[in-house]
């Protein structure tokens, strides 16, 4: 799981696994050069062209770089959030209660003082800014997922290739949702607002 859903690069893992499976299924036909061809284009994921493989590799590399950039931004945001909540030199709270970022952001000054946590100046606003930044990173991750999916499907030329991939992708995403529901984490996995 990555930001509540699957990593965009998982789409490539699925496609590569499908390609391997199709190659095994069609190996005998490929060796006999009896693979069906539609207007000179490969109809199966087992017979992607060199150009398609290069395009997939380039897209995969670009997607991984963007995932790494978002991961770096998340790590940086988490570090600065910790520094906002507990600035250097500020003693840690005397209570054993661990507050979530949401609790800190919504805590009133009176509640904060009663719980032993000192909020200095604009702490609530700073925490809210950090939470907004996290929401933006989550949106960037969603846009990357959609862009990756669209571009990956665009590389697949024949309707049969697209159908093979889309069917497997749908099965995988349904399985993820079922797994999340069975673990009781539908809000994170499915993205519901309940």
């Amino acid at each position: 799981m990555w930001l509540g859903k699957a990593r965009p690069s998982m789409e490539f893992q699925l496609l590569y696994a499908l390609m391997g499976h199709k190659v095994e299924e069609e190996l005998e036909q490929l060796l006999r050069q009896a693979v069906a061809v539609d207007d000179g284009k490969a109809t199966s994921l087992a017979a992607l062209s060199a150009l398609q493989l290069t395009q997939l590799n380039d897209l995969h590399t670009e997607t991984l770089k963007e995932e790494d950039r978002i991961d770096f931004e998340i790590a940086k945001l988490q570090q600065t959030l910790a520094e906002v909540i507990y600035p250097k030199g500020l003693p840690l709270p005397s209570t054993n209660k661990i507050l979530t970022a949401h609790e800190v952001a919504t805590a009133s000054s009176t509640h904060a003082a009663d719980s032993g946590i000192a909020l200095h100046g604009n702490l609530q606003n700073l925490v809210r800014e950090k939470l907004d930044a996290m929401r933006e990173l989550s949106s960037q991750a969603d846009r990357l997922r959609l862009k990756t999916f669209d571009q990956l499907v665009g590389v697949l030329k024949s309707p049969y290739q697209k159908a093979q991939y889309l069917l497997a992708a749908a099965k995988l995403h349904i399985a993820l949702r079922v797994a999340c529901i069975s673990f009781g984490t539908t809000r994170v996995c499915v993205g519901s607002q309940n």
Side-chain angles (χ1 to χ4, degrees):
M1 298 309 286
W2 185 66
L3 289 166
K5 297 176 186 150
R7 284 184 169 274
S9 57
M10 182 187 72
E11 301 292 343
F12 296 98
Q13 294 169 347
L14 173 63
L15 181 63
Y16 295 150
L18 277 171
M19 288 168 51
H21 180 72
K22 293 298 176 186
V23 166
E24 288 176 11
E25 283 181 1
E26 299 176 14
L27 185 58
E28 191 173 310
Q29 291 177 351
L30 286 171
L31 292 174
R32 290 186 209 153
Q33 298 182 357
V35 174
V37 175
D38 178 20
D39 296 330
K41 296 179 183 172
T43 59
S44 169
L45 291 174
L48 291 176
S49 70
L51 176 62
Q52 286 175 300
L53 291 172
T54 300
Q55 289 171 329
L56 286 173
N57 184 58
D58 293 346
L59 181 57
H60 190 183
T61 301
E62 178 185 323
T63 300
L64 288 172
K65 285 180 183 176
E66 187 62 14
E67 282 181 5
D68 288 346
R69 183 197 65 77
I70 291 172
D71 283 340
F72 176 78
E73 291 298 321
I74 290 169
K76 188 168 73 172
L77 182 63
Q78 289 172 338
Q79 179 61 39
T80 59
L81 181 60
E83 291 170 0
V84 165
I85 294 172
Y86 296 111
K88 293 177 182 163
L90 179 70
L92 294 176
S94 58
T95 66
N96 288 333
K97 182 179 180 194
I98 298 173
L99 296 179
T100 65
H102 177 72
E103 290 173 318
V104 172
T106 58
S108 68
S109 299
T110 306
H111 174 71
D114 290 345
S115 64
I117 297 179
L119 295 179
H120 297 287
N122 295 322
L123 179 59
Q124 289 178 350
N125 291 334
L126 291 171
V127 170
R128 282 192 186 104
E129 287 175 18
K130 300 297 180 184
L131 292 174
D132 288 343
M134 183 58 87
R135 283 186 199 97
E136 173 56 28
L137 287 171
S138 181
S139 293
Q140 288 178 23
D142 286 341
R143 287 190 296 273
L144 178 60
R145 286 182 190 98
L146 183 58
K147 175 184 159 196
T148 300
F149 183 78
D150 286 345
Q151 289 180 344
L152 191 147
V153 170
V155 169
L156 304 175
K157 299 302 179 198
S158 76
Y160 187 62
Q161 287 176 343
K162 291 179 185 197
Q164 284 179 317
Y165 176 73
L166 292 173
L167 180 63
K171 286 180 179 179
L172 177 64
H173 288 280
I174 288 169
L176 281 173
R177 288 180 180 206
V178 168
C180 289
I181 289 168
S182 69
F183 289 120
T185 58
T186 56
R187 181 169 187 217
V188 172
C189 295
V190 181
S192 72
Q193 300 300 316
N194 297 337

